[in-house]
Amino acid sequence: MATVATCGSGAGSPGSMVAAGSKNNVTSFQRRGPKASGSDSSYSRLVSIPGTRPSVRNGQLLVSTGLPALDQLLGGGLAVGTVLLIEEDKYNIYSSLLFKYFLAEGIINGHTLLVASAKEDPADILQELPAPLLDDNGKKDFDEDMRNIKTSDSNIKMKIAWRYQLLPQMEAGPVSSSRFGHYYDASKKMPQELIEASKWHGFFSPEKSSSTLNIEPCSLTHGYIKLLQFIQNIIYEEGFDGSNPQRKQENILRIGIQNLGSPLWGDDVCCTENCDDSHSLTKFLYVLRGLLRTSLSACIITMPTHLIQNKAIIARVTNLSDTVVGLESFIGSDRETNPLYKDYHGLIHIRQIPRLNNLIYDVSNVKDLAFKLKRKLFTIEMSKLRDLGRLVHLPLLPSRDSTYGGHSDDARLLTRYLFFLKGKYTFCIFNIVVVYFY
């Protein structure tokens, strides 16, 4: 378990010297108001939870998603007490990787994990978590990976991206949780000693569903009821809700739910458009969000929304989630062989950003985001199609004052524009227009 750091508790800190001096001398900086009962000092200690930081926008406590680039897109991180919904890609390759990043970040910071799945055993999921890049050897591998991918001239000194260049030197040995957000090596597994030293709870739906449950009939499926009871017991028994002062936690509970809404959970929203339990999934999310709002916990959910045929259910699920991120993979689509997308493995869509204590949510103004899985890293970048898309609004009329007969500039522009279009008649149209120009 991670230790709780306290600020201003050192013997030689300025706060302690001011407190010592105020016992004998009364100054204008004396604190007004009644003293807290049972405390030796008039100043309460500021308790900081490892792996968290306050938001610069509203002061809300944030945790990292395990992917620093995604943290920046979400406004600094994932707010405590909120739900992050990941819309799975068709083959559930990249969404499961983001799911593991979230859990790995919790182990590095000493957070308590709650892993729920109907497909894989939670113990097996933890064994597949990526290894953190914490020491000098990991940073060397990181730099080597960036150099192998980035192309530049031979006479220019090669540098890594600006967001990685200012990484502090990590000490080999014990895991440090002083920094917000870490980087992970997708080609390596997390050391076994880190997993064994962590505190986690597992919920495997096939094992939990085998037991009998005497409850009143309701619209929730059996798997959802058991999961809600399991989450509620962990929150209350371990003091993450703060109701029990003796067990009050100064830690974060990270909840990860995999493949929610799939038939493995006993839900048929992915099987038919007009299902019998159409409100089971939405009621589960409603109750879950109520548990998160009153506790020091954050939740990530992966859901196969591409299999849900009823669009109204998708809209309700989106409204009941705080943050929604969609992954669109190029595997099995025409974009996989399209030269325009050769540098990426898919697109990422920030569909919804939370605005807490308000009736509406924020919509991200950052568009055209693409992701790619390198040899070791999962990166999010601005797509190059953003610049090509501006060509649609440019005129294509010939300009007589240009060189080489007045058509080379327009031909070059038209070539880029037609290359941007993706259709089976692109090259035919290109040949016709070139004949027209020349």
Side-chain angles (χ1 to χ4, degrees):
M1 294 293 295
T3 58
V4 179
T6 57
C7 301
S9 60
S13 60
S16 60
M17 290 185 291
V18 172
S22 61
K23 293 181 180 179
N24 299 325
N25 300 326
V26 178
T27 64
S28 59
F29 297 101
Q30 184 178 4
R31 181 181 178 181
R32 295 182 179 180
K35 296 182 179 180
S37 60
S39 60
D40 297 335
S41 176
S42 60
Y43 297 96
S44 60
R45 294 180 178 180
L46 179 62
V47 179
S48 62
I49 302 178
T52 63
R53 68 179 178 187
S55 172
V56 296
R57 297 179 58 187
N58 50 24
Q60 178 72 23
L61 194 64
L62 302 178
V63 295
S64 175
T65 60
L67 196 61
L70 183 59
D71 293 339
Q72 296 178 6
L73 296 174
L74 300 182
L78 179 63
V80 173
T82 60
V83 179
L84 169 60
L85 176 64
I86 302 294
E87 297 181 354
E88 298 178 359
D89 52 292
K90 291 185 178 180
Y91 297 96
N92 195 20
I93 298 176
Y94 304 104
S95 57
S96 62
L97 188 58
L98 295 184
F99 184 81
K100 295 175 182 177
Y101 279 154
F102 179 81
L103 299 178
E105 184 69 19
I107 291 182
I108 295 302
N109 292 290
H111 297 166
T112 304
L113 302 184
L114 194 156
V115 186
S117 176
K119 180 181 178 181
E120 302 179 64
D121 194 321
D124 297 335
I125 296 177
L126 295 181
Q127 297 297 328
E128 298 295 326
L129 297 183
L133 295 174
L134 294 173
D135 52 6
D136 295 335
N137 294 330
K139 192 173 186 302
K140 291 179 181 179
D141 296 338
F142 178 87
D143 297 341
E144 181 182 357
D145 185 49
M146 297 298 297
R147 284 194 296 267
N148 292 336
I149 296 176
K150 186 177 180 180
T151 57
S152 60
D153 298 335
S154 58
N155 57 346
I156 299 178
K157 184 179 180 180
M158 191 172 298
K159 296 183 179 180
I160 61 176
W162 63 271
R163 61 178 179 270
Y164 306 128
Q165 192 173 4
L166 300 179
L167 286 177
Q169 296 291 335
M170 292 294 177
E171 296 181 359
V175 177
S176 174
S177 59
S178 60
R179 187 164 56 87
F180 186 87
H182 298 81
Y183 297 90
Y184 298 90
D185 187 350
S187 63
K188 297 180 181 180
K189 306 302 179 184
M190 180 169 291
Q192 189 64 29
E193 55 269 16
L194 293 180
I195 300 177
E196 295 177 354
S198 62
K199 184 177 181 180
W200 63 277
H201 306 274
F203 182 91
F204 191 37
S205 181
E207 295 179 354
K208 299 294 182 179
S209 299
S210 60
S211 60
T212 59
L213 183 64
N214 297 325
I215 58 173
E216 297 180 358
C218 62
S219 58
L220 285 175
T221 62
H222 181 72
Y224 292 162
I225 295 175
K226 293 291 293 183
L227 180 56
L228 285 175
Q229 291 178 347
F230 185 79
I231 295 175
Q232 184 179 13
N233 292 335
I234 297 299
I235 291 177
Y236 290 165
E237 292 177 359
E238 300 193 6
F240 287 102
D241 61 334
S243 59
N244 190 351
Q246 297 179 355
R247 296 183 178 182
K248 187 176 181 180
Q249 282 281 356
E250 295 173 349
N251 200 357
I252 299 295
L253 175 64
R254 286 179 176 251
I255 304 174
I257 306 175
Q258 193 177 44
N259 304 122
L260 188 68
S262 64
L264 297 175
W265 286 98
D267 201 341
D268 57 351
V269 293
C270 297
C271 302
T272 178
E273 184 175 358
N274 298 319
C275 56
D276 298 332
D277 298 331
S278 59
H279 299 285
S280 180
L281 179 61
T282 54
K283 285 187 176 181
F284 170 83
L285 292 175
Y286 182 81
V287 177
L288 175 63
R289 194 169 67 169
L291 292 174
L292 297 178
R293 287 290 195 270
T294 57
S295 62
L296 288 175
S297 56
C299 181
I300 182 174
I301 297 176
T302 63
M303 183 180 299
T305 54
H306 60 280
L307 299 178
I308 301 178
Q309 302 178 17
N310 193 337
K311 302 301 181 183
I313 296 180
I314 299 179
R316 290 196 293 266
V317 168
T318 302
N319 293 332
L320 289 173
S321 304
D322 299 296
T323 308
V324 181
V325 177
L327 297 179
E328 181 184 354
S329 175
F330 294 158
I331 300 178
S333 63
D334 297 337
R335 295 179 177 179
E336 186 177 8
T337 57
N338 194 319
L340 287 176
Y341 303 95
K342 64 179 181 179
D343 296 332
Y344 310 108
H345 291 154
L347 300 177
I348 183 169
H349 308 283
I350 309 297
R351 306 193 188 278
Q352 182 173 302
I353 297 178
R355 179 183 290 178
L356 300 179
N357 303 324
N358 287 274
L359 297 178
I360 60 176
Y361 57 85
D362 286 340
V363 178
S364 176
N365 56 358
V366 181
K367 307 295 182 181
D368 302 322
L369 296 172
F371 67 86
K372 56 183 175 181
L373 180 59
K374 302 179 182 180
R375 185 169 61 95
K376 299 179 181 180
L377 301 171
F378 183 93
T379 60
I380 301 176
E381 301 176 357
M382 295 295 297
S383 175
K384 298 178 181 177
L385 300 179
R386 184 183 182 92
D387 297 331
L388 292 176
R390 298 173 182 173
L391 296 176
V392 177
H393 304 285
L394 296 179
L396 295 178
L397 297 177
S399 57
R400 295 297 176 180
D401 55 347
S402 58
T403 57
Y404 300 100
H407 301 294
S408 62
D409 295 339
D410 299 285
R412 188 182 302 108
L413 179 61
L414 183 62
T415 302
R416 294 177 60 192
Y417 173 67
L418 293 176
F419 190 73
F420 168 75
L421 297 177
K422 183 172 69 67
K424 57 183 179 180
Y425 300 109
T426 299
F427 295 99
C428 298
I429 297 176
F430 173 74
N431 293 332
I432 295 174
V433 177
V434 169
V435 172
Y436 167 77
F437 274 158
Y438 293 97

